[in-house]
PDB file of all heavy atoms in Angstrom:
ATOM      1  N   GLN A  24     -11.908   9.617 -29.100  1.00  0.00           N
ATOM      2  CA  GLN A  24     -10.822   8.787 -28.563  1.00  0.00           C
ATOM      3  C   GLN A  24     -10.007   9.576 -27.541  1.00  0.00           C
ATOM      4  O   GLN A  24      -9.613   9.039 -26.501  1.00  0.00           O
ATOM      5  CB  GLN A  24      -9.909   8.322 -29.701  1.00  0.00           C
ATOM      6  CG  GLN A  24      -8.831   7.345 -29.241  1.00  0.00           C
ATOM      7  CD  GLN A  24      -7.764   7.111 -30.283  1.00  0.00           C
ATOM      8  OE1 GLN A  24      -6.929   7.981 -30.520  1.00  0.00           O
ATOM      9  NE2 GLN A  24      -7.788   5.919 -30.899  1.00  0.00           N
ATOM     10  N   LYS A  25      -9.746  10.841 -27.828  1.00  0.00           N
ATOM     11  CA  LYS A  25      -8.987  11.689 -26.911  1.00  0.00           C
ATOM     12  C   LYS A  25      -9.708  11.828 -25.573  1.00  0.00           C
ATOM     13  O   LYS A  25      -9.099  11.739 -24.506  1.00  0.00           O
ATOM     14  CB  LYS A  25      -8.759  13.067 -27.530  1.00  0.00           C
ATOM     15  CG  LYS A  25      -7.971  14.008 -26.636  1.00  0.00           C
ATOM     16  CD  LYS A  25      -7.792  15.365 -27.296  1.00  0.00           C
ATOM     17  CE  LYS A  25      -7.033  16.307 -26.358  1.00  0.00           C
ATOM     18  NZ  LYS A  25      -6.878  17.662 -26.949  1.00  0.00           N
ATOM     19  N   THR A  26     -11.020  12.025 -25.646  1.00  0.00           N
ATOM     20  CA  THR A  26     -11.816  12.148 -24.419  1.00  0.00           C
ATOM     21  C   THR A  26     -11.754  10.854 -23.612  1.00  0.00           C
ATOM     22  O   THR A  26     -11.586  10.868 -22.389  1.00  0.00           O
ATOM     23  CB  THR A  26     -13.286  12.471 -24.765  1.00  0.00           C
ATOM     24  OG1 THR A  26     -13.335  13.708 -25.491  1.00  0.00           O
ATOM     25  CG2 THR A  26     -14.125  12.598 -23.507  1.00  0.00           C
ATOM     26  N   ALA A  27     -11.885   9.712 -24.334  1.00  0.00           N
ATOM     27  CA  ALA A  27     -11.816   8.411 -23.663  1.00  0.00           C
ATOM     28  C   ALA A  27     -10.432   8.176 -23.071  1.00  0.00           C
ATOM     29  O   ALA A  27     -10.296   7.618 -21.978  1.00  0.00           O
ATOM     30  CB  ALA A  27     -12.165   7.303 -24.651  1.00  0.00           C
ATOM     31  N   ARG A  28      -9.387   8.625 -23.813  1.00  0.00           N
ATOM     32  CA  ARG A  28      -8.020   8.464 -23.326  1.00  0.00           C
ATOM     33  C   ARG A  28      -7.802   9.250 -22.036  1.00  0.00           C
ATOM     34  O   ARG A  28      -7.217   8.738 -21.089  1.00  0.00           O
ATOM     35  CB  ARG A  28      -7.023   8.919 -24.386  1.00  0.00           C
ATOM     36  CG  ARG A  28      -5.558   8.749 -23.938  1.00  0.00           C
ATOM     37  CD  ARG A  28      -4.583   9.483 -24.845  1.00  0.00           C
ATOM     38  NE  ARG A  28      -4.838   9.173 -26.237  1.00  0.00           N
ATOM     39  CZ  ARG A  28      -5.107  10.098 -27.159  1.00  0.00           C
ATOM     40  NH1 ARG A  28      -5.154  11.379 -26.828  1.00  0.00           N
ATOM     41  NH2 ARG A  28      -5.299   9.745 -28.416  1.00  0.00           N
ATOM     42  N   GLU A  29      -8.252  10.468 -22.008  1.00  0.00           N
ATOM     43  CA  GLU A  29      -8.086  11.309 -20.822  1.00  0.00           C
ATOM     44  C   GLU A  29      -8.790  10.697 -19.617  1.00  0.00           C
ATOM     45  O   GLU A  29      -8.269  10.715 -18.497  1.00  0.00           O
ATOM     46  CB  GLU A  29      -8.622  12.713 -21.099  1.00  0.00           C
ATOM     47  CG  GLU A  29      -7.769  13.499 -22.094  1.00  0.00           C
ATOM     48  CD  GLU A  29      -8.390  14.816 -22.496  1.00  0.00           C
ATOM     49  OE1 GLU A  29      -9.588  15.015 -22.208  1.00  0.00           O
ATOM     50  OE2 GLU A  29      -7.682  15.652 -23.118  1.00  0.00           O
ATOM     51  N   ALA A  30      -9.974  10.136 -19.848  1.00  0.00           N
ATOM     52  CA  ALA A  30     -10.711   9.483 -18.764  1.00  0.00           C
ATOM     53  C   ALA A  30      -9.969   8.230 -18.285  1.00  0.00           C
ATOM     54  O   ALA A  30      -9.898   7.946 -17.078  1.00  0.00           O
ATOM     55  CB  ALA A  30     -12.116   9.118 -19.236  1.00  0.00           C
ATOM     56  N   ALA A  31      -9.411   7.477 -19.257  1.00  0.00           N
ATOM     57  CA  ALA A  31      -8.677   6.255 -18.919  1.00  0.00           C
ATOM     58  C   ALA A  31      -7.416   6.573 -18.129  1.00  0.00           C
ATOM     59  O   ALA A  31      -7.094   5.896 -17.134  1.00  0.00           O
ATOM     60  CB  ALA A  31      -8.328   5.485 -20.182  1.00  0.00           C
ATOM     61  N   VAL A  32      -6.707   7.616 -18.570  1.00  0.00           N
ATOM     62  CA  VAL A  32      -5.475   8.022 -17.868  1.00  0.00           C
ATOM     63  C   VAL A  32      -5.798   8.448 -16.446  1.00  0.00           C
ATOM     64  O   VAL A  32      -5.073   8.113 -15.494  1.00  0.00           O
ATOM     65  CB  VAL A  32      -4.772   9.169 -18.628  1.00  0.00           C
ATOM     66  CG1 VAL A  32      -3.650   9.757 -17.788  1.00  0.00           C
ATOM     67  CG2 VAL A  32      -4.225   8.669 -19.960  1.00  0.00           C
ATOM     68  N   LYS A  33      -6.882   9.176 -16.283  1.00  0.00           N
ATOM     69  CA  LYS A  33      -7.301   9.617 -14.954  1.00  0.00           C
ATOM     70  C   LYS A  33      -7.663   8.422 -14.070  1.00  0.00           C
ATOM     71  O   LYS A  33      -7.294   8.357 -12.888  1.00  0.00           O
ATOM     72  CB  LYS A  33      -8.497  10.558 -15.075  1.00  0.00           C
ATOM     73  CG  LYS A  33      -8.924  11.187 -13.761  1.00  0.00           C
ATOM     74  CD  LYS A  33     -10.056  12.179 -13.973  1.00  0.00           C
ATOM     75  CE  LYS A  33     -10.463  12.814 -12.643  1.00  0.00           C
ATOM     76  NZ  LYS A  33     -11.565  13.795 -12.827  1.00  0.00           N
ATOM     77  N   ALA A  34      -8.382   7.468 -14.657  1.00  0.00           N
ATOM     78  CA  ALA A  34      -8.770   6.267 -13.903  1.00  0.00           C
ATOM     79  C   ALA A  34      -7.548   5.442 -13.510  1.00  0.00           C
ATOM     80  O   ALA A  34      -7.468   4.919 -12.391  1.00  0.00           O
ATOM     81  CB  ALA A  34      -9.728   5.419 -14.736  1.00  0.00           C
ATOM     82  N   GLU A  35      -6.593   5.335 -14.437  1.00  0.00           N
ATOM     83  CA  GLU A  35      -5.361   4.591 -14.156  1.00  0.00           C
ATOM     84  C   GLU A  35      -4.581   5.248 -13.020  1.00  0.00           C
ATOM     85  O   GLU A  35      -4.020   4.563 -12.156  1.00  0.00           O
ATOM     86  CB  GLU A  35      -4.499   4.522 -15.418  1.00  0.00           C
ATOM     87  CG  GLU A  35      -5.074   3.601 -16.495  1.00  0.00           C
ATOM     88  CD  GLU A  35      -4.401   3.777 -17.841  1.00  0.00           C
ATOM     89  OE1 GLU A  35      -3.436   4.583 -17.925  1.00  0.00           O
ATOM     90  OE2 GLU A  35      -4.830   3.141 -18.823  1.00  0.00           O
ATOM     91  N   ALA A  36      -4.543   6.577 -13.021  1.00  0.00           N
ATOM     92  CA  ALA A  36      -3.841   7.307 -11.965  1.00  0.00           C
ATOM     93  C   ALA A  36      -4.517   7.092 -10.612  1.00  0.00           C
ATOM     94  O   ALA A  36      -3.850   6.920  -9.583  1.00  0.00           O
ATOM     95  CB  ALA A  36      -3.786   8.793 -12.299  1.00  0.00           C
ATOM     96  N   THR A  37      -5.854   7.083 -10.619  1.00  0.00           N
ATOM     97  CA  THR A  37      -6.605   6.853  -9.382  1.00  0.00           C
ATOM     98  C   THR A  37      -6.359   5.452  -8.847  1.00  0.00           C
ATOM     99  O   THR A  37      -6.154   5.245  -7.647  1.00  0.00           O
ATOM    100  CB  THR A  37      -8.115   7.061  -9.627  1.00  0.00           C
ATOM    101  OG1 THR A  37      -8.345   8.403 -10.066  1.00  0.00           O
ATOM    102  CG2 THR A  37      -8.906   6.804  -8.353  1.00  0.00           C
ATOM    103  N   GLU A  38      -6.370   4.471  -9.764  1.00  0.00           N
ATOM    104  CA  GLU A  38      -6.113   3.079  -9.378  1.00  0.00           C
ATOM    105  C   GLU A  38      -4.715   2.938  -8.776  1.00  0.00           C
ATOM    106  O   GLU A  38      -4.526   2.237  -7.773  1.00  0.00           O
ATOM    107  CB  GLU A  38      -6.259   2.157 -10.585  1.00  0.00           C
ATOM    108  CG  GLU A  38      -7.689   1.982 -11.064  1.00  0.00           C
ATOM    109  CD  GLU A  38      -7.778   1.133 -12.317  1.00  0.00           C
ATOM    110  OE1 GLU A  38      -6.712   0.674 -12.796  1.00  0.00           O
ATOM    111  OE2 GLU A  38      -8.891   0.933 -12.831  1.00  0.00           O
ATOM    112  N   LYS A  39      -3.744   3.621  -9.389  1.00  0.00           N
ATOM    113  CA  LYS A  39      -2.368   3.559  -8.902  1.00  0.00           C
ATOM    114  C   LYS A  39      -2.264   4.175  -7.507  1.00  0.00           C
ATOM    115  O   LYS A  39      -1.638   3.600  -6.611  1.00  0.00           O
ATOM    116  CB  LYS A  39      -1.430   4.290  -9.859  1.00  0.00           C
ATOM    117  CG  LYS A  39       0.031   4.267  -9.414  1.00  0.00           C
ATOM    118  CD  LYS A  39       0.919   4.969 -10.424  1.00  0.00           C
ATOM    119  CE  LYS A  39       2.380   4.939  -9.967  1.00  0.00           C
ATOM    120  NZ  LYS A  39       3.278   5.605 -10.929  1.00  0.00           N
ATOM    121  N   THR A  40      -2.894   5.325  -7.315  1.00  0.00           N
ATOM    122  CA  THR A  40      -2.860   5.997  -6.015  1.00  0.00           C
ATOM    123  C   THR A  40      -3.514   5.134  -4.940  1.00  0.00           C
ATOM    124  O   THR A  40      -3.004   5.004  -3.829  1.00  0.00           O
ATOM    125  CB  THR A  40      -3.581   7.355  -6.091  1.00  0.00           C
ATOM    126  OG1 THR A  40      -2.923   8.176  -7.059  1.00  0.00           O
ATOM    127  CG2 THR A  40      -3.562   8.058  -4.750  1.00  0.00           C
ATOM    128  N   THR A  41      -4.642   4.520  -5.295  1.00  0.00           N
ATOM    129  CA  THR A  41      -5.355   3.650  -4.349  1.00  0.00           C
ATOM    130  C   THR A  41      -4.513   2.445  -3.974  1.00  0.00           C
ATOM    131  O   THR A  41      -4.428   2.059  -2.802  1.00  0.00           O
ATOM    132  CB  THR A  41      -6.692   3.187  -4.952  1.00  0.00           C
ATOM    133  OG1 THR A  41      -7.493   4.327  -5.266  1.00  0.00           O
ATOM    134  CG2 THR A  41      -7.443   2.288  -3.977  1.00  0.00           C
ATOM    135  N   ALA A  42      -3.877   1.836  -4.979  1.00  0.00           N
ATOM    136  CA  ALA A  42      -3.036   0.651  -4.738  1.00  0.00           C
ATOM    137  C   ALA A  42      -1.838   1.011  -3.877  1.00  0.00           C
ATOM    138  O   ALA A  42      -1.473   0.267  -2.956  1.00  0.00           O
ATOM    139  CB  ALA A  42      -2.576   0.051  -6.058  1.00  0.00           C
ATOM    140  N   GLU A  43      -1.203   2.151  -4.154  1.00  0.00           N
ATOM    141  CA  GLU A  43      -0.041   2.585  -3.371  1.00  0.00           C
ATOM    142  C   GLU A  43      -0.432   2.874  -1.927  1.00  0.00           C
ATOM    143  O   GLU A  43       0.318   2.549  -0.996  1.00  0.00           O
ATOM    144  CB  GLU A  43       0.577   3.828  -4.013  1.00  0.00           C
ATOM    145  CG  GLU A  43       1.308   3.540  -5.312  1.00  0.00           C
ATOM    146  CD  GLU A  43       1.832   4.793  -5.988  1.00  0.00           C
ATOM    147  OE1 GLU A  43       1.318   5.902  -5.679  1.00  0.00           O
ATOM    148  OE2 GLU A  43       2.761   4.689  -6.815  1.00  0.00           O
ATOM    149  N   ALA A  44      -1.613   3.479  -1.742  1.00  0.00           N
ATOM    150  CA  ALA A  44      -2.098   3.772  -0.386  1.00  0.00           C
ATOM    151  C   ALA A  44      -2.357   2.477   0.383  1.00  0.00           C
ATOM    152  O   ALA A  44      -2.028   2.365   1.573  1.00  0.00           O
ATOM    153  CB  ALA A  44      -3.372   4.610  -0.452  1.00  0.00           C
ATOM    154  N   LYS A  45      -2.924   1.491  -0.313  1.00  0.00           N
ATOM    155  CA  LYS A  45      -3.187   0.193   0.315  1.00  0.00           C
ATOM    156  C   LYS A  45      -1.889  -0.488   0.713  1.00  0.00           C
ATOM    157  O   LYS A  45      -1.767  -1.025   1.819  1.00  0.00           O
ATOM    158  CB  LYS A  45      -3.970  -0.706  -0.643  1.00  0.00           C
ATOM    159  CG  LYS A  45      -4.301  -2.073  -0.051  1.00  0.00           C
ATOM    160  CD  LYS A  45      -5.034  -2.938  -1.065  1.00  0.00           C
ATOM    161  CE  LYS A  45      -5.312  -4.315  -0.482  1.00  0.00           C
ATOM    162  NZ  LYS A  45      -5.971  -5.214  -1.467  1.00  0.00           N
ATOM    163  N   GLU A  46      -0.902  -0.450  -0.176  1.00  0.00           N
ATOM    164  CA  GLU A  46       0.399  -1.053   0.112  1.00  0.00           C
ATOM    165  C   GLU A  46       1.069  -0.366   1.290  1.00  0.00           C
ATOM    166  O   GLU A  46       1.674  -1.019   2.139  1.00  0.00           O
ATOM    167  CB  GLU A  46       1.294  -0.969  -1.127  1.00  0.00           C
ATOM    168  CG  GLU A  46       0.862  -1.891  -2.257  1.00  0.00           C
ATOM    169  CD  GLU A  46       1.609  -1.620  -3.549  1.00  0.00           C
ATOM    170  OE1 GLU A  46       2.552  -0.798  -3.546  1.00  0.00           O
ATOM    171  OE2 GLU A  46       1.262  -2.214  -4.587  1.00  0.00           O
ATOM    172  N   ALA A  47       0.963   0.960   1.354  1.00  0.00           N
ATOM    173  CA  ALA A  47       1.566   1.711   2.452  1.00  0.00           C
ATOM    174  C   ALA A  47       0.898   1.369   3.778  1.00  0.00           C
ATOM    175  O   ALA A  47       1.570   1.200   4.811  1.00  0.00           O
ATOM    176  CB  ALA A  47       1.451   3.208   2.181  1.00  0.00           C
ATOM    177  N   THR A  48      -0.431   1.236   3.752  1.00  0.00           N
ATOM    178  CA  THR A  48      -1.171   0.878   4.969  1.00  0.00           C
ATOM    179  C   THR A  48      -0.795  -0.513   5.443  1.00  0.00           C
ATOM    180  O   THR A  48      -0.580  -0.745   6.642  1.00  0.00           O
ATOM    181  CB  THR A  48      -2.693   0.935   4.701  1.00  0.00           C
ATOM    182  OG1 THR A  48      -3.057   2.270   4.326  1.00  0.00           O
ATOM    183  CG2 THR A  48      -3.478   0.539   5.952  1.00  0.00           C
ATOM    184  N   GLU A  49      -0.706  -1.458   4.510  1.00  0.00           N
ATOM    185  CA  GLU A  49      -0.341  -2.833   4.850  1.00  0.00           C
ATOM    186  C   GLU A  49       1.082  -2.903   5.384  1.00  0.00           C
ATOM    187  O   GLU A  49       1.363  -3.662   6.317  1.00  0.00           O
ATOM    188  CB  GLU A  49      -0.499  -3.731   3.624  1.00  0.00           C
ATOM    189  CG  GLU A  49      -1.947  -3.940   3.199  1.00  0.00           C
ATOM    190  CD  GLU A  49      -2.076  -4.727   1.920  1.00  0.00           C
ATOM    191  OE1 GLU A  49      -1.056  -4.857   1.188  1.00  0.00           O
ATOM    192  OE2 GLU A  49      -3.188  -5.206   1.620  1.00  0.00           O
ATOM    193  N   LYS A  50       1.977  -2.100   4.800  1.00  0.00           N
ATOM    194  CA  LYS A  50       3.365  -2.071   5.257  1.00  0.00           C
ATOM    195  C   LYS A  50       3.448  -1.532   6.684  1.00  0.00           C
ATOM    196  O   LYS A  50       4.158  -2.092   7.528  1.00  0.00           O
ATOM    197  CB  LYS A  50       4.207  -1.209   4.329  1.00  0.00           C
ATOM    198  CG  LYS A  50       5.670  -1.111   4.750  1.00  0.00           C
ATOM    199  CD  LYS A  50       6.479  -0.270   3.785  1.00  0.00           C
ATOM    200  CE  LYS A  50       7.939  -0.181   4.232  1.00  0.00           C
ATOM    201  NZ  LYS A  50       8.750   0.637   3.300  1.00  0.00           N
ATOM    202  N   THR A  51       2.714  -0.455   6.953  1.00  0.00           N
ATOM    203  CA  THR A  51       2.713   0.132   8.300  1.00  0.00           C
ATOM    204  C   THR A  51       2.181  -0.864   9.330  1.00  0.00           C
ATOM    205  O   THR A  51       2.745  -1.019  10.415  1.00  0.00           O
ATOM    206  CB  THR A  51       1.865   1.412   8.329  1.00  0.00           C
ATOM    207  OG1 THR A  51       2.420   2.365   7.412  1.00  0.00           O
ATOM    208  CG2 THR A  51       1.835   2.018   9.721  1.00  0.00           C
ATOM    209  N   ALA A  52       1.100  -1.551   8.967  1.00  0.00           N
ATOM    210  CA  ALA A  52       0.508  -2.539   9.878  1.00  0.00           C
ATOM    211  C   ALA A  52       1.469  -3.700  10.118  1.00  0.00           C
ATOM    212  O   ALA A  52       1.612  -4.192  11.244  1.00  0.00           O
ATOM    213  CB  ALA A  52      -0.807  -3.056   9.292  1.00  0.00           C
ATOM    214  N   ALA A  53       2.157  -4.145   9.043  1.00  0.00           N
ATOM    215  CA  ALA A  53       3.101  -5.255   9.168  1.00  0.00           C
ATOM    216  C   ALA A  53       4.287  -4.866  10.033  1.00  0.00           C
ATOM    217  O   ALA A  53       4.766  -5.657  10.853  1.00  0.00           O
ATOM    218  CB  ALA A  53       3.575  -5.693   7.780  1.00  0.00           C
ATOM    219  N   GLU A  54       4.785  -3.645   9.850  1.00  0.00           N
ATOM    220  CA  GLU A  54       5.920  -3.161  10.650  1.00  0.00           C
ATOM    221  C   GLU A  54       5.529  -3.054  12.124  1.00  0.00           C
ATOM    222  O   GLU A  54       6.324  -3.384  13.007  1.00  0.00           O
ATOM    223  CB  GLU A  54       6.390  -1.805  10.124  1.00  0.00           C
ATOM    224  CG  GLU A  54       7.115  -1.892   8.789  1.00  0.00           C
ATOM    225  CD  GLU A  54       7.482  -0.527   8.249  1.00  0.00           C
ATOM    226  OE1 GLU A  54       6.876   0.483   8.698  1.00  0.00           O
ATOM    227  OE2 GLU A  54       8.371  -0.445   7.372  1.00  0.00           O
ATOM    228  N   LYS A  55       4.312  -2.583  12.379  1.00  0.00           N
ATOM    229  CA  LYS A  55       3.834  -2.460  13.757  1.00  0.00           C
ATOM    230  C   LYS A  55       3.719  -3.833  14.412  1.00  0.00           C
ATOM    231  O   LYS A  55       4.163  -4.033  15.548  1.00  0.00           O
ATOM    232  CB  LYS A  55       2.480  -1.762  13.783  1.00  0.00           C
ATOM    233  CG  LYS A  55       1.913  -1.564  15.180  1.00  0.00           C
ATOM    234  CD  LYS A  55       0.559  -0.867  15.138  1.00  0.00           C
ATOM    235  CE  LYS A  55      -0.006  -0.710  16.541  1.00  0.00           C
ATOM    236  NZ  LYS A  55      -1.343  -0.061  16.517  1.00  0.00           N
ATOM    237  N   ALA A  56       3.130  -4.778  13.674  1.00  0.00           N
ATOM    238  CA  ALA A  56       2.982  -6.141  14.199  1.00  0.00           C
ATOM    239  C   ALA A  56       4.347  -6.779  14.430  1.00  0.00           C
ATOM    240  O   ALA A  56       4.560  -7.487  15.421  1.00  0.00           O
ATOM    241  CB  ALA A  56       2.163  -6.990  13.224  1.00  0.00           C
ATOM    242  N   GLU A  57       5.274  -6.528  13.506  1.00  0.00           N
ATOM    243  CA  GLU A  57       6.632  -7.056  13.611  1.00  0.00           C
ATOM    244  C   GLU A  57       7.335  -6.516  14.856  1.00  0.00           C
ATOM    245  O   GLU A  57       8.000  -7.248  15.590  1.00  0.00           O
ATOM    246  CB  GLU A  57       7.398  -6.653  12.353  1.00  0.00           C
ATOM    247  CG  GLU A  57       8.747  -7.285  12.169  1.00  0.00           C
ATOM    248  CD  GLU A  57       9.343  -6.882  10.835  1.00  0.00           C
ATOM    249  OE1 GLU A  57       9.972  -5.812  10.763  1.00  0.00           O
ATOM    250  OE2 GLU A  57       9.152  -7.615   9.860  1.00  0.00           O
ATOM    251  N   LYS A  58       7.165  -5.223  15.110  1.00  0.00           N
ATOM    252  CA  LYS A  58       7.785  -4.580  16.272  1.00  0.00           C
ATOM    253  C   LYS A  58       7.190  -5.119  17.570  1.00  0.00           C
ATOM    254  O   LYS A  58       7.913  -5.435  18.526  1.00  0.00           O
ATOM    255  CB  LYS A  58       7.595  -3.067  16.198  1.00  0.00           C
ATOM    256  CG  LYS A  58       8.244  -2.313  17.344  1.00  0.00           C
ATOM    257  CD  LYS A  58       8.050  -0.812  17.188  1.00  0.00           C
ATOM    258  CE  LYS A  58       8.684  -0.066  18.363  1.00  0.00           C
ATOM    259  NZ  LYS A  58       8.482   1.405  18.242  1.00  0.00           N
ATOM    260  N   GLU A  59       5.871  -5.227  17.605  1.00  0.00           N
ATOM    261  CA  GLU A  59       5.202  -5.737  18.811  1.00  0.00           C
ATOM    262  C   GLU A  59       5.600  -7.185  19.075  1.00  0.00           C
ATOM    263  O   GLU A  59       5.801  -7.581  20.222  1.00  0.00           O
ATOM    264  CB  GLU A  59       3.686  -5.618  18.647  1.00  0.00           C
ATOM    265  CG  GLU A  59       3.187  -4.173  18.658  1.00  0.00           C
ATOM    266  CD  GLU A  59       1.690  -4.089  18.460  1.00  0.00           C
ATOM    267  OE1 GLU A  59       1.074  -5.113  18.057  1.00  0.00           O
ATOM    268  OE2 GLU A  59       1.123  -3.000  18.681  1.00  0.00           O
ATOM    269  N   ARG A  60       5.704  -7.981  18.009  1.00  0.00           N
ATOM    270  CA  ARG A  60       6.089  -9.386  18.179  1.00  0.00           C
ATOM    271  C   ARG A  60       7.503  -9.487  18.729  1.00  0.00           C
ATOM    272  O   ARG A  60       7.791 -10.303  19.604  1.00  0.00           O
ATOM    273  CB  ARG A  60       5.988 -10.115  16.845  1.00  0.00           C
ATOM    274  CG  ARG A  60       6.221 -11.625  16.951  1.00  0.00           C
ATOM    275  CD  ARG A  60       6.019 -12.314  15.628  1.00  0.00           C
ATOM    276  NE  ARG A  60       7.062 -11.976  14.684  1.00  0.00           N
ATOM    277  CZ  ARG A  60       6.862 -11.437  13.501  1.00  0.00           C
ATOM    278  NH1 ARG A  60       5.645 -11.137  13.119  1.00  0.00           N
ATOM    279  NH2 ARG A  60       7.868 -11.159  12.697  1.00  0.00           N
ATOM    280  N   ALA A  61       8.396  -8.621  18.217  1.00  0.00           N
ATOM    281  CA  ALA A  61       9.786  -8.635  18.679  1.00  0.00           C
ATOM    282  C   ALA A  61       9.901  -8.198  20.127  1.00  0.00           C
ATOM    283  O   ALA A  61      10.721  -8.713  20.888  1.00  0.00           O
ATOM    284  CB  ALA A  61      10.635  -7.730  17.790  1.00  0.00           C
ATOM    285  N   GLU A  62       9.065  -7.241  20.540  1.00  0.00           N
ATOM    286  CA  GLU A  62       9.130  -6.715  21.909  1.00  0.00           C
ATOM    287  C   GLU A  62       8.474  -7.652  22.922  1.00  0.00           C
ATOM    288  O   GLU A  62       8.937  -7.762  24.056  1.00  0.00           O
ATOM    289  CB  GLU A  62       8.440  -5.347  21.973  1.00  0.00           C
ATOM    290  CG  GLU A  62       9.193  -4.246  21.228  1.00  0.00           C
ATOM    291  CD  GLU A  62       8.423  -2.937  21.219  1.00  0.00           C
ATOM    292  OE1 GLU A  62       7.206  -2.957  21.535  1.00  0.00           O
ATOM    293  OE2 GLU A  62       9.031  -1.895  20.895  1.00  0.00           O
ATOM    294  N   LYS A  63       7.407  -8.327  22.515  1.00  0.00           N
ATOM    295  CA  LYS A  63       6.620  -9.097  23.479  1.00  0.00           C
ATOM    296  C   LYS A  63       6.703 -10.616  23.308  1.00  0.00           C
ATOM    297  O   LYS A  63       6.468 -11.359  24.266  1.00  0.00           O
ATOM    298  CB  LYS A  63       5.148  -8.684  23.388  1.00  0.00           C
ATOM    299  CG  LYS A  63       4.912  -7.216  23.675  1.00  0.00           C
ATOM    300  CD  LYS A  63       3.446  -6.861  23.493  1.00  0.00           C
ATOM    301  CE  LYS A  63       3.198  -5.377  23.726  1.00  0.00           C
ATOM    302  NZ  LYS A  63       1.770  -5.030  23.530  1.00  0.00           N
ATOM    303  N   GLU A  64       7.045 -11.075  22.094  1.00  0.00           N
ATOM    304  CA  GLU A  64       6.966 -12.517  21.861  1.00  0.00           C
ATOM    305  C   GLU A  64       8.266 -13.122  21.320  1.00  0.00           C
ATOM    306  O   GLU A  64       9.007 -13.750  22.068  1.00  0.00           O
ATOM    307  CB  GLU A  64       5.802 -12.805  20.910  1.00  0.00           C
ATOM    308  CG  GLU A  64       4.455 -12.401  21.485  1.00  0.00           C
ATOM    309  CD  GLU A  64       3.338 -12.521  20.491  1.00  0.00           C
ATOM    310  OE1 GLU A  64       3.183 -11.629  19.641  1.00  0.00           O
ATOM    311  OE2 GLU A  64       2.607 -13.523  20.576  1.00  0.00           O
ATOM    312  N   PHE A  65       8.543 -12.919  20.047  1.00  0.00           N
ATOM    313  CA  PHE A  65       9.747 -13.520  19.483  1.00  0.00           C
ATOM    314  C   PHE A  65      10.176 -12.775  18.239  1.00  0.00           C
ATOM    315  O   PHE A  65       9.417 -12.013  17.643  1.00  0.00           O
ATOM    316  CB  PHE A  65       9.523 -15.012  19.159  1.00  0.00           C
ATOM    317  CG  PHE A  65       8.428 -15.280  18.158  1.00  0.00           C
ATOM    318  CD1 PHE A  65       8.718 -15.465  16.820  1.00  0.00           C
ATOM    319  CD2 PHE A  65       7.102 -15.352  18.573  1.00  0.00           C
ATOM    320  CE1 PHE A  65       7.713 -15.720  15.902  1.00  0.00           C
ATOM    321  CE2 PHE A  65       6.086 -15.599  17.647  1.00  0.00           C
ATOM    322  CZ  PHE A  65       6.394 -15.784  16.318  1.00  0.00           C
ATOM    323  N   VAL A  66      11.420 -13.017  17.854  1.00  0.00           N
ATOM    324  CA  VAL A  66      12.013 -12.383  16.675  1.00  0.00           C
ATOM    325  C   VAL A  66      12.315 -13.460  15.632  1.00  0.00           C
ATOM    326  O   VAL A  66      12.845 -14.517  15.974  1.00  0.00           O
ATOM    327  CB  VAL A  66      13.304 -11.624  17.033  1.00  0.00           C
ATOM    328  CG1 VAL A  66      13.945 -11.027  15.786  1.00  0.00           C
ATOM    329  CG2 VAL A  66      13.008 -10.532  18.055  1.00  0.00           C
ATOM    330  N   VAL A  67      11.995 -13.178  14.386  1.00  0.00           N
ATOM    331  CA  VAL A  67      12.262 -14.122  13.293  1.00  0.00           C
ATOM    332  C   VAL A  67      13.442 -13.611  12.468  1.00  0.00           C
ATOM    333  O   VAL A  67      13.483 -12.436  12.110  1.00  0.00           O
ATOM    334  CB  VAL A  67      11.046 -14.281  12.377  1.00  0.00           C
ATOM    335  CG1 VAL A  67      11.312 -15.343  11.304  1.00  0.00           C
ATOM    336  CG2 VAL A  67       9.817 -14.660  13.187  1.00  0.00           C
ATOM    337  N   ALA A  68      14.388 -14.490  12.181  1.00  0.00           N
ATOM    338  CA  ALA A  68      15.518 -14.143  11.327  1.00  0.00           C
ATOM    339  C   ALA A  68      15.610 -15.198  10.220  1.00  0.00           C
ATOM    340  O   ALA A  68      15.428 -16.390  10.476  1.00  0.00           O
ATOM    341  CB  ALA A  68      16.813 -14.098  12.120  1.00  0.00           C
TER     342      ALA A  68
END
């Protein structure tokens, strides 16, 4: 059980890191698109 737990904890940590990286990438892309839209097209409030 301890061995399985350690593997599960490691997998959970990897999943969390992957999810956080994906969220950060999506946030950066959204901010870039938002900035470009404001500079070239329109601003939403």
Side-chain angles (χ1 to χ4, degrees):
Q24 185 192 73
K25 180 181 178 182
T26 300
R28 181 193 310 123
E29 291 173 347
V32 170
K33 186 176 181 180
E35 289 167 3
T37 300
E38 289 176 1
K39 180 178 180 180
T40 300
T41 301
E43 288 176 340
K45 181 182 178 183
E46 289 170 6
T48 299
E49 291 175 344
K50 179 179 180 180
T51 300
E54 288 176 341
K55 181 180 179 181
E57 189 176 85
K58 182 178 179 181
E59 291 179 346
R60 186 176 69 237
E62 291 175 345
K63 300 177 182 179
E64 297 173 281
F65 60 96
V66 177
V67 184

